[in-house]
Amino acid sequence: MSTELGAFLRSRRERITPADAGLPATGRRRTPGLRREELALLTGISATWLTYLEQGRDVNPSGQVLDALARALRLTDAEHEHLRRLAGASATPDQDDAEEVAAEVAGVPALLGDNPAYVTGICYDVLVANDAAAELFRGIAPGGNVVRWMLTEPAAREVLVDWEQEARNLLARLRAIAGRHPGHPRVTRLVADLTEASPEVRAWWPRYDIQFSHAGRKRLRHPRLGTITVSHAAFHVAERPGQTLVVYHLPTAGA
């Protein structure tokens, strides 16, 4: 059983107060959030078995137990999915092979013209990017990494109007990837490098926020267009689900 599962459960248990869970207050508490005994009561499992789960012992929670934990801990849909993936994840690390992007996929960003587009690998390594992406996201280029750029490059704070929220969201997506690929060498190295380089990562990573890629809107400072709001979407590459095509739709002149 992955130690990631135990760390995730503890982080979520510490965020729920007895009042949140509908339990009576019991006076002064030495630790934040619910006690193990309280969570066990809410989910109908033994405190000992919950302890085994949090310690990463070799126990196999059923889907019903995971659903009960998700309800008691008030997990979001993304967090619930992350919990299920952690509980069923293989402990065998993925290979550290260099990622290759198919020629048919590599040519797509260039087809999008003035709309910034790039393809990323399993942990946000940039595999290919068009000229519009290089212009907007100064420093984003093949061989780079989107998360590393976001959290360590000064240019990211200039480009992203709402930098802190965007950086938190991206780190939460990296946390989801780390849970999906436990022990992956490149993911592990990236997290270690970011933790050393960024005080924000040192503060935010232990919060265990989880998020998955989605479409949305961002406020950006474009070198030619000024401050703009753009829509964006992410598409997983067929047969290579670890790779993602990200496309930004720039507003037309006068929009």
Side-chain angles (χ1 to χ4, degrees):
M1 181 61 60
S2 170
T3 55
E4 281 283 301
L5 174 61
F8 180 58
L9 287 174
R10 287 192 300 274
S11 74
R12 288 304 175 266
R13 178 167 59 81
E14 291 171 356
R15 290 191 183 188
I16 302 294
T17 67
D20 291 335
L23 297 174
T26 57
R28 190 170 183 177
R29 306 170 73 88
R30 288 183 292 180
T31 57
L34 292 176
R35 299 186 178 104
R36 282 198 186 111
E37 294 78 8
E38 292 168 333
L39 179 56
L41 176 66
L42 290 169
T43 55
I45 64 178
S46 74
T48 299
W49 204 77
L50 180 58
T51 299
Y52 290 164
L53 272 180
E54 291 193 353
Q55 290 176 343
R57 295 200 190 184
D58 188 18
V59 293
N60 297 306
S62 67
Q64 291 88 343
V65 167
L66 295 174
D67 291 345
L69 285 167
R71 288 192 297 271
L73 294 171
R74 301 190 173 191
L75 300 187
T76 65
D77 290 344
E79 291 168 339
H80 192 176
E81 182 180 348
H82 185 69
L83 174 67
R84 282 182 162 275
R85 286 176 171 172
L86 286 177
S90 169
T92 303
D94 294 278
Q95 296 297 313
D96 194 17
D97 298 331
E99 289 186 79
E100 296 182 357
V101 58
E104 297 83 359
V105 176
V108 171
L111 297 176
L112 295 169
D114 293 334
N115 293 300
Y118 52 82
V119 177
T120 60
I122 190 172
C123 57
Y124 290 99
D125 292 323
V126 180
L127 304 179
V128 62
N130 64 9
D131 292 340
E135 178 188 32
L136 175 57
F137 301 107
R138 286 157 268 167
I140 288 288
N145 182 279
V146 176
V147 189
R148 195 185 301 276
W149 178 83
M150 176 75 82
L151 287 154
T152 65
E153 291 294 333
R157 298 176 190 248
E158 299 172 6
V159 174
L160 278 296
V161 175
D162 305 299
W163 176 84
E164 180 171 336
Q165 188 58 56
E166 297 293 347
R168 284 178 178 268
N169 292 344
L170 185 57
L171 194 65
R173 293 195 286 275
L174 180 62
R175 172 62 93 168
I177 289 170
R180 196 177 308 151
H181 302 278
H184 191 291
R186 268 180 288 133
V187 177
T188 300
R189 283 198 299 271
L190 176 60
V191 172
D193 290 347
L194 291 172
T195 300
E196 180 178 356
S198 168
E200 289 84 5
V201 173
R202 291 194 290 274
W204 299 340
W205 188 256
R207 290 180 52 82
Y208 228 112
D209 293 329
I210 301 295
Q211 191 181 104
F212 295 118
S213 297
H214 62 283
R217 298 175 70 82
K218 294 181 181 179
R219 295 192 299 161
L220 305 172
R221 297 183 183 94
H222 194 281
R224 289 184 293 103
L225 304 177
T227 300
I228 55 176
T229 299
V230 302
S231 59
H232 63 89
F235 307 90
H236 292 301
V237 175
E239 300 181 359
R240 293 176 183 256
Q243 295 181 2
T244 304
L245 169 67
V246 182
V247 180
Y248 290 82
H249 183 224
L250 295 185
T252 56

